[in-house]
Structures are given as structure tokens and as C-alpha cells.
Amino acid sequence: MSRKATHTRLAVAAAATGIAVLAGCSSPASSDNASGGSCEPAEGKVTLQYWNTVPGMDKVVDLWNKKNPDIQVETKNISNDQYGAIGNALKAGKAPDLAQVGYDQLPNLRTQDAFVDASACAEATAAKSKFVPWTWSQSSFGDTGVFALPQDTGPMALYVRSDIFEKHDIAIPTTWDEYAAAAAKLHRADSDLTITYFDPNNAEWFNGLLWQNNATMYGYSGGKWHVTVESDRSKQVADYWQKLISDDVVRTDLAHGSTQMYAAYQKDEIASYVGAAWGYSMFRDNLPKQSGKWAIVPMPTWGANGTSGNWGGSTVAFMKGGKHLHEAVKFNTWLNTDPEALALENELGGLYPAAEAGLRLPALSKGVPYYGNQKIFDVFAESSKKVDTSFTWGPTQKTVNLALQDAMAKAAAGEGKLSDALAAAQEAALTSMKDQAIPAAAGK
């Protein structure tokens, strides 16, 4: 969701040599060969299953179905339990043909032999040139396979209730120090008001905060993974938010996207939101009465480095068990590269496209009425160019995220500190890799 001139430069960009090691961690009948080298079109009408979490995706699928009577797609929203649903389906041998999978979860699922290699289909390999380079590199694991097509990314920014800041004569913060000072001022002015909330059960969001501070969590060299979840830069982020929590100037009782979260914003109890590009439709659709009161500005920075973070972003993966690879490739390619499909996904689901064509969508160069006609995507475009391109996800990220969340919840409840969560996640990473015979060591 940026414009042509911005050319998104995000990169979770797992190094090719690092991610390639996962192939050796898969079962002998690995997903690398699951396609059987065949991309023959089916005889007759085909129905594909596509699972995702995107609002309005059923309307996008309807558009495809109207144009393609012989390749029909049935969509299922699994936003309530995305990876639980995918995991259970894989165990039962009932996985869909295609499923939305976050970049951070691709390595973990590949170790479970979850994917089909679609590289036997010429259309799948040719799609490489249609995507922002870092997204293709990660979804293909840096090797010659095509296990998923990129869908969207999540450059971060700060959503602010301009009217609340103006009411209390507080400048919009540009650094995290200024943000903390603003948090204290707002809460002193109104004891029911906090600057934001900290969701202890959202490791993905917290990872985006670490990412912004160049707090790399993993590296790969010398034939092994080097785990640096508990680095000094990570501790800086954890200590910062711990102080906000301890000072009672951020809330910890709200879950992201929950009814309670929207209610707090609706009651003017929260003045800002640290979020990603895809969040723009979230506020528009759930808080319509606040139209014109919100603005989006660059994420507060750590001093002069000016970097930004990325939260989320997904692929559409070719799942093991799919019986119509040729047709799945055709639909997947259309879904994530066709301008009409991309425009609808942006309008209904807030997706910030990973495709080069998506960067040229007319909607992304216009003002957005809900945000006072501000050209908000210019902010996200700048954010995307300031994200650390060396950030890498590890092969057991799901385990690490769960450990982070468990320890962060305890810290939010007054049992320990957020820095303890980093230590717990570091230990979980090393233990989980050892259990799967993945060479790893604590790094610095």
C-alpha cells in the first residue's frame, strides 16, 4: 500500500543461507517435493478452498468466481484461531488448497512439512517479478521453491486523536521520550485518559517494536542460528514500556481488536494507537463517529536513528494436500497481483499490497476522508523505507511468541517485568530448536 515512487523497502528478509537450513529440518518427504513436479490443469470444473483472516475477502473471491466459472473458490474466515485451524487441518489431512500465513510463521510451518512447492507451474515462478523483492525472498525461503505468494506488509506509524492532543495543548510526539512525557501529561490532565494501551497477549505487535529499534532476534552463520532475543536493544524497548506500565499511563487490560478496545477509544479514554498500515480500515469501520478526529504520523523514534518497524503482513501459501495446483496458482496470482483485486482488498480489508502493481493503486495517492482527507499512505510509504532490512524470523517463532505472551501477561499483572519476558523467549527459542535438532546458540 505505498505508491510507485516509494518502492517498499521492508525486509524481514531471512537470509537465504539461514532459511535454507530449514529444508534439512523437514521430514524426508519434504514440502519441497510435494508438488510431484506436476502442474497439469484439471479436467472440468474445480473448487478450491481458501482460508484467510481478511475482512471483505469474500467479496474479492466473488469477483473471481464471476469471471472464472470453471475455477470456483470457497473462502473461510479463520480470524478467531488462524494457526490453530491451520494446524488442526494439517494434522487431520484436511488442509485447504490455500491459506493466509504470516511471514513470521512460514519457517515454523515449513518444518512441519505444511507446504506444496508450486515451482512446477511456470506462472508461479514468473510471478517473482511482480512483487517487492524482500517479500518474494522470504516466501520462497531464499531457494528455488515457490511455497507462497506475498500478499501484504505492515509498516508501522502512530495514529493520533488530534483533537485530544490539541485540547490538552500537547504536541504530537516525534520521539519515544516525547511520547512518554505526553503520556504523563495526558493522564495528569484526565485520570480516565491514557495515551495508548499495551496488549500483553500480542507478541507480533511487540516484535514490531523490537524491529523498529534494530533489535534483531536471530542471525545465521557458521552453520547455526544465533538467538539474540534478549539483546540490549530489546531490553531498551522492554524497559521503556515497563516504565509506562509501572507509572500507570498505559492500559494493560485491552486486547487488540476487541470490543473492549473499541469501546475505550469510543469513550475518548485513549489518545493514540501504535499500529500498522492495515489498521487504517479498522478505525474507519469500527469508530465511524470519530471520522475527522484521527491523523496518522510517523512512529516515534529512538533518538536520531529515525527507523521504523513492521507489524504483520502475510502470504497466501500453497498447502500440502491441495489437489489442484495449476488452478491454485492461477487464483493466487490473480488475488495478489491483479489491480482490481488489490484495490478491493485495500478498500475492504485494509491490505497494504506486497505486489508492485499494488504500490500504484490510485487509492493510495489520495486523501482518505475518515482521516480528514490526509494522504495517510504517504506516511506508511515513508515508514516502509525506514525498516531494518536485516530483521530475520527464526524457525520456531510460534513457540517464542507464546513464551513472550505468557511472560508479558505476568509482567502486566505485576509478576515480574517485561525484561523477564525477553529472557523467557530467549530460552524458549533455544530449547525449541534443540528439541528439533536445529543447531542454535545464544548470541550477543
Side-chain angles (χ1 to χ4, degrees), residues 46-127:
V46 164
T47 298
L48 303 174
Q49 298 292 323
Y50 167 42
W51 292 4
N52 67 89
T53 68
V54 182
M57 188 56 77
D58 55 330
K59 303 292 193 304
V60 182
V61 170
D62 286 345
L63 179 63
W64 165 270
N65 286 338
K66 289 177 182 177
K67 296 182 176 183
N68 298 272
D70 291 334
I71 306 176
Q72 294 291 284
V73 178
E74 295 178 352
T75 184
K76 178 180 178 180
N77 190 292
I78 54 172
S79 55
N80 288 334
D81 186 20
Q82 181 179 7
Y83 296 110
I86 291 174
N88 290 336
L90 286 167
K91 291 176 183 177
K94 297 181 179 180
D97 299 271
L98 299 161
Q100 180 185 353
V101 177
Y103 296 104
D104 62 335
Q105 295 300 322
L106 283 171
N108 182 66
L109 281 170
R110 191 178 181 188
T111 67
Q112 300 175 43
D113 193 25
F115 305 129
V116 171
D117 180 2
S119 60
C121 300
E123 188 172 0
T125 55

Side-chain angles (χ1 to χ4, degrees), residues 15-16 19-20 22 106-107 110 115 136-143 145 147:
I19 291 299
L22 294 179
L106 283 171
R110 191 178 181 188
F115 305 129
W136 183 269
S137 175
Q138 191 171 51
S139 58
S140 65
F141 302 105
D143 53 31
F147 304 95

